[in-house]
Structures are given as C-alpha cells and as structure tokens.
Amino acid sequence: MVRISNTFIGLLNVLTMLIAVSAMAAGMYFHFHGGTQCQKFLEMPLVVAGVVLFAVSLCGLVGSVCKISFMLWIYLFVMFVLILGLLVFTIFSLIITNKGVGQAVSNRGYKEYKLGDYSNWLRNHLVNDKNWENIKGCLKDTDVCRRMGNDDAAAFYRKNLSPIQSGCCKPPTYCGFEFKNATFWVMPKTGPAVTDSDCKTWSNDQKQLCYDCKSCKAGLLANMKSQWRMLAIINACVLVFLVFVYSVGCCAFRNNRRDKYRYRRGVP
C-alpha cells in the first residue's frame, strides 16, 4: 500500500524537478542568447542551482517511491541544512540591513543616500569594486535613468525618486550643479559647491552619469534594504513550508524503515 507521506514527497519532488529543469534551461538560454550583463551574470547561478535542485529532488523521489531509505536520508539531510541555512540567512539579513536611512533634502520630493550610513559588511562584500562592475552593468541594462521623464526643474524637484534614481541618475544636491534635465546637469564655473568625489565623478555622458558614485552604491543598498525586509517575510513563510515538508519526509523515512523491518520478519 502506498503511504500518503511517500506519495506527497514523490509528487512534490516531481514538481521541483520540473522547476530545476526550467532553471537549467534558462541558464543555457542566457549562455547562448543572453545579450545583457544581467543575463550573463545569472547564467551560472541558474545552471548550478538547477543541477543541485534536480539531484536533491531525484533523491527524494527515488527514496519515497522506491522506498530506498538511504536516498531519502540524503534528501532529509539536505532539507535540514536548507532550513538551518535559510533561518541563519534571514536573521543575518535583518541585522546587516538595520542601519541606513535616506536623508531628506530641503525643497525636494526625493531623499538622498550616503554610503557611510550602511553596514561595513554590505559595503565590503556587496558593493565592492569587484562586484560593482557587474551590478553597474545590470543597472544600465534596466534603463532606470531614462524613465525619469523630461520634466522642468520645478516638477523634477517634487518627484519621489527611487533610491537608485536618486543616487545613480543625478549628482548629489550638495554639489550645487545647475539642472538642465533629469540626467543633464551643469557644474558651476567656480566648481562644485563642496569638495566631494561624487561631484567630480558625475558625467553628463548618458552611459556614465553617477554610476560610479558612492551615492549610487548607497541608493542600491537602500533599495536592497527594503527588498530584504520583504524577503524576510517571504523567508518566514518558506521556512514554515519547508518544516512541514521535512516533517512529512521524516514520516516517509519512518515508513520505509518500518516496511523494511516487516519484510525481513515476513509480515505482510
């Protein structure tokens, strides 16, 4: 008799195997047809995640349907590590994103962001020089700055810009640059109002703008902070589901052991 727990684990792993195949297919598609920096950046993670997910799902499927306890034990071990890792990641993400808030600017509808307001871990590991080239390529691919419109100065100053638009698509307000349009600003003849590297880094070249500014990195971290807070809520829901799946998997493992024991004793 097929037990409910074994059937549930088997069906669930068929579904995750299909997801794994989709992830590998997407990674291979980006490899052969991906033209943007973001797509190339996602290529290897998608393939690796797909292969790992497929292998784990195969263990769960074979272990539950064919009642091979060793395969199911591997599946449950990986599930336990995943639950523990997701719990640690959720707590860690809440801790490192606790610092950093946007600063209101006088007579402006948007806020501006400073890199020094965010945790050292985020600055040293996420927006370091090595990672920033890939991130910058992704930001350019999204055309986030081109979507800012062609408003006049008064309308632009009232806009509620996203953190990335505020940090990457215009120079910081304290530089004292003159507005021409959303992505074109003129430096005063006397130079920037303050001595700051971002004021010197700004370029009216639409491919450069302020993508190399510290304010752009801060804007990205501010955007990530709000997303990671939402991600923490999603992770909590995923954790509840994974614990449920792990519990059902333990029942299936116990069923396998019990059936094996009964078979050895000749009990029908």
Side-chain angles (χ1 to χ4, degrees):
M1 178 179 179
V2 179
R3 299 180 184 271
I4 295 177
S5 57
N6 293 66
T7 303
F8 176 81
I9 293 297
L11 292 175
L12 179 65
N13 281 283
V14 169
L15 177 61
T16 54
M17 287 176 72
L18 293 175
I19 295 174
V21 171
S22 300
M24 289 187 287
M28 295 305 295
Y29 177 83
F30 289 155
H31 177 74
F32 291 107
H33 302 284
T36 67
Q37 186 70 29
C38 276
Q39 290 173 339
K40 293 178 181 178
F41 184 72
L42 289 173
E43 171 192 323
M44 187 55 65
L46 280 173
V47 172
V48 172
V51 170
V52 173
L53 182 59
F54 186 88
V56 173
S57 300
L58 184 62
C59 288
L61 179 64
V62 173
S64 59
V65 175
C66 300
K67 297 184 178 181
I68 302 177
S69 297
F70 177 71
M71 300 290 282
L72 198 55
W73 183 89
I74 294 176
Y75 173 76
L76 290 174
F77 176 77
V78 174
M79 284 290 294
F80 177 78
V81 173
L82 180 61
I83 291 171
L84 186 61
L86 191 59
L87 179 62
V88 172
F89 172 76
T90 302
I91 296 173
F92 178 70
S93 63
L94 290 174
I95 293 174
I96 63 173
T97 57
N98 188 47
K99 296 175 60 179
V101 293
Q103 299 178 351
V105 183
S106 178
N107 299 320
R108 300 290 189 271
Y110 50 80
K111 295 181 179 180
E112 293 189 338
Y113 305 84
K114 291 186 176 181
L115 188 59
D117 292 340
Y118 295 88
S119 70
N120 290 330
W121 192 92
L122 288 175
R123 284 182 282 159
N124 295 333
H125 292 83
L126 288 187
V127 293
N128 56 33
D129 293 338
K130 180 180 178 181
N131 293 333
W132 187 246
E133 287 303 315
N134 287 327
I135 295 173
K136 184 170 63 174
C138 286
L139 292 176
K140 292 179 180 180
D141 289 341
T142 61
D143 289 332
V144 63
C145 295
R146 294 183 182 180
R147 298 198 299 266
M148 293 174 65
N150 296 311
D151 300 311
D152 58 22
F156 177 81
Y157 291 147
R158 291 194 300 268
K159 274 192 169 183
N160 181 23
L161 302 178
S162 70
I164 291 178
Q165 288 177 326
S166 177
C168 304
C169 306
K170 66 171 190 60
T173 301
Y174 55 73
C175 293
F177 287 7
E178 181 184 355
F179 175 92
K180 293 298 180 181
N181 64 44
T183 58
F184 194 94
W185 300 70
V186 177
M187 181 188 300
K189 294 181 179 179
T190 56
V194 298
T195 303
D196 185 87
S197 61
D198 281 2
C199 301
K200 297 179 180 179
T201 302
W202 166 261
S203 171
N204 285 317
D205 182 344
Q206 298 302 295
K207 294 182 179 180
Q208 299 298 324
L209 298 178
C210 220
Y211 287 119
D212 287 317
C213 296
K214 292 180 294 185
S215 62
C216 187
K217 296 179 179 181
L220 177 73
L221 293 181
N223 191 67
M224 288 182 60
K225 177 180 178 179
S226 61
Q227 292 180 345
W228 280 24
R229 294 284 174 168
M230 181 62 67
L231 182 62
I233 298 175
I234 297 174
N235 284 348
C237 298
V238 172
L239 274 171
V240 172
F241 177 72
L242 288 179
V243 169
F244 170 74
V245 173
Y246 182 79
S247 301
V248 175
C250 289
C251 291
F253 182 76
R254 184 179 59 189
N255 291 340
N256 287 1
R257 297 292 297 272
R258 183 183 299 163
D259 290 346
K260 185 177 181 180
Y261 176 76
R262 295 177 64 183
Y263 176 78
R264 286 179 175 177
R265 296 195 62 181
V267 179

